[in-house]
Amino acid sequence: MKRQDIKRRPLADTVLASLEPEAKEYREGYGVDRIYFVVNPTGRKRWEWRYKKPGTGKWSWLGLGSYPDVSAKGARSKALEFSDMLDRGIDPATPKAQAFTAPLFRDVAERWYGKKIRDGRAEKTLKGIRIALDNDIIPAIGSTPVDQVKRRQCADLQRSIEDRGAHNTAQKVRSWLGQIFGMAIANEWCENNPASNLVDIAEKAPAENQYPHLVENELPEFLRALRTTPCKPLALTAAWMVLRTASRPGMVRFAEWSEIDFGAKLWSVPGKKMKMARDHLVPLPDQVIADLLELQRHSGRSRYLFPSEGPKSYVMSDATINKVFAQAGYKRRMTGHGSRHTCKTILSEHGWPDAWSEMQLAHKKVGLRAVYDKAEYLQQRAAMMQWYADYLQALEEGITPRGRAKFAARVPKA
């Protein structure tokens, strides 16, 4: 935007980011604390502070840093610091006064977190980071300048998380600390990462228990029990959709009608809803399409397929799908996430290529495959998941092992 279009002060972040350069460098008052925002003809932006020099009383300018490296909040913090020096009779422009002061760890952490938001990380990931920052990381080392954080502090932080049995959180915090200190090193706020090598003293995490799930010979009884379970239509349809698509329960709960293409039998999930923050396409078997057409009678006017009946959330509770399985008599034996284990196992046992099933499960590609393999196998997955839905139906209807051979014969070559 042009500076003559500025309507109010202090200048908003959107104004700071969009101010256009002119033929000559210009200053715009930020609106408080004698802070000015400078834009030069190349488009580079910086902060300056106007003050009276001690002794002479002459007005002078002092730089507060470049934008966006220094935010409006950071510029105000520096201006207040320099103002305090003036009150003590110190000219903040003198070399001694300009001795480097590193930002507090919490300020670097918040800047790193802001970058995660701008990078489009999944909402669930951001929530986990926020909880760890607020409950563990910032209380432990947030008030320490980033260049003064000691290895002992980082080790104590890790140990405090492990002591409550949260080994998975401790592992994530190690990674996040490394990234935060990496940002600080890149910005020349510190020279070393005191959180490096924490893995060498980390406690070994206990063996993880897999999500409760069923194997093939347990499915017929389960599927018949599920069919006769007296649950509400929304909850039961969500449970069947999780089973037949091997999608994460959270994906299903937050599914929107605008994402469903009935003609193409396709569900387009935007990256912001995905664990890996990557757009994902889910082919929908005929059985799911039929369920969704029926579901429109109940929730078709809502934004979401499975809206909440209460005021606390837009969609059904994250416990609803597991409650459906519990009502079918499979509490702690089958879960929404466990259905992904079941699907993966059956597809593998019947010869479906791992690349197809891994893409269906929206698992992250690793190594060189992540760099070079951009295939989504949409057509192949559509055939695979229709086979899977048909196979579940056959199991429910009591097809004998000999009768199942017709399904195995349909597996295409990879």
Side-chain angles (χ1 to χ4, degrees), residues 134-159:
D134 293 341
N135 295 345
D136 293 307
I137 301 173
I138 290 178
I141 59 178
S143 60
T144 305
V146 70
D147 65 340
Q148 295 180 31
V149 177
K150 305 298 183 185
R151 290 186 180 275
R152 174 54 55 190
Q153 290 175 278
C154 296
D156 289 345
L157 169 59
Q158 174 176 267
R159 188 172 298 108

Side-chain angles (χ1 to χ4, degrees), residues 55-74:
T56 66
K58 292 183 178 180
W59 285 101
S60 185
W61 296 95
L62 185 61
L64 299 176
S66 61
Y67 177 88
D69 293 334
V70 176
S71 65
K73 182 179 179 181

Side-chain angles (χ1 to χ4, degrees), residues 126-192:
L126 293 173
K127 183 178 179 180
I129 293 174
R130 188 71 261 172
I131 291 173
L133 286 173
D134 293 341
N135 295 345
D136 293 307
I137 301 173
I138 290 178
I141 59 178
S143 60
T144 305
V146 70
D147 65 340
Q148 295 180 31
V149 177
K150 305 298 183 185
R151 290 186 180 275
R152 174 54 55 190
Q153 290 175 278
C154 296
D156 289 345
L157 169 59
Q158 174 176 267
R159 188 172 298 108
S160 69
I161 299 172
E162 291 174 339
D163 285 347
R164 65 173 189 262
H167 292 84
N168 185 48
T169 298
Q171 180 182 0
K172 292 178 180 178
V173 166
R174 282 199 300 273
S175 174
W176 295 336
L177 286 175
Q179 294 175 34
I180 294 170
F181 283 113
M183 172 177 281
I185 292 170
N187 282 283
E188 299 182 345
W189 296 328
C190 68
E191 294 296 328
N192 300 294

Side-chain angles (χ1 to χ4, degrees), residues 227-409:
R227 180 69 63 186
T228 58
T229 299
C231 294
K232 293 182 178 180
L234 260 68
L236 195 57
T237 301
W240 279 106
M241 188 170 176
V242 166
L243 282 172
R244 290 168 172 153
T245 65
S247 298
R248 294 183 177 92
M251 289 169 54
V252 170
R253 290 170 46 238
F254 283 92
E256 302 179 31
W257 287 111
S258 61
E259 299 167 359
I260 305 298
D261 184 335
F262 283 97
K265 297 196 292 187
L266 198 63
W267 171 23
S268 302
V269 189
K272 64 182 179 181
K273 294 184 178 182
M274 297 298 297
K275 181 177 181 180
M276 302 311 301
R278 181 181 61 229
D279 293 348
H280 184 55
L281 297 175
V282 182
L284 299 176
D286 294 338
Q287 292 88 337
V288 175
I289 292 294
D291 282 352
L292 294 186
L293 288 172
E294 176 65 21
L295 183 67
Q296 281 188 315
R297 296 173 51 192
H298 301 277
S299 67
R301 294 185 178 182
S302 168
R303 171 183 173 183
Y304 297 98
L305 275 65
F306 306 105
S308 170
E309 296 181 352
K312 292 185 178 181
S313 175
Y314 297 116
V315 300
M316 66 170 54
S317 148
D318 58 0
T320 300
I321 292 172
N322 285 345
K323 286 181 179 178
V324 172
F325 294 154
Q327 283 188 270
Y330 283 78
K331 185 176 183 179
R332 298 192 182 92
R333 294 178 60 195
M334 183 60 163
T335 61
H337 204 98
S339 66
R340 290 162 58 81
H341 293 257
T342 298
C343 178
K344 174 66 177 179
T345 301
I346 290 178
L347 292 176
S348 296
E349 288 178 342
H350 287 271
W352 292 93
D354 280 344
W356 302 1
S357 57
E358 287 294 290
M359 178 58 68
Q360 180 67 21
L361 295 171
H363 283 165
K364 182 180 180 181
K365 297 177 183 178
V366 297
L368 289 177
R369 184 170 172 236
V371 177
Y372 295 107
D373 184 0
K374 306 301 181 184
E376 295 190 3
Y377 308 110
L378 187 57
Q379 183 177 357
Q380 296 93 327
R381 287 193 290 125
M384 177 179 71
M385 296 313 293
Q386 184 60 59
W387 175 90
Y388 183 64
D390 291 343
Y391 196 66
L392 292 180
Q393 184 174 336
L395 291 175
E396 179 187 350
E397 294 172 355
I399 299 294
T400 64
R402 182 178 178 182
R404 291 176 192 155
K406 69 176 183 179
F407 293 100

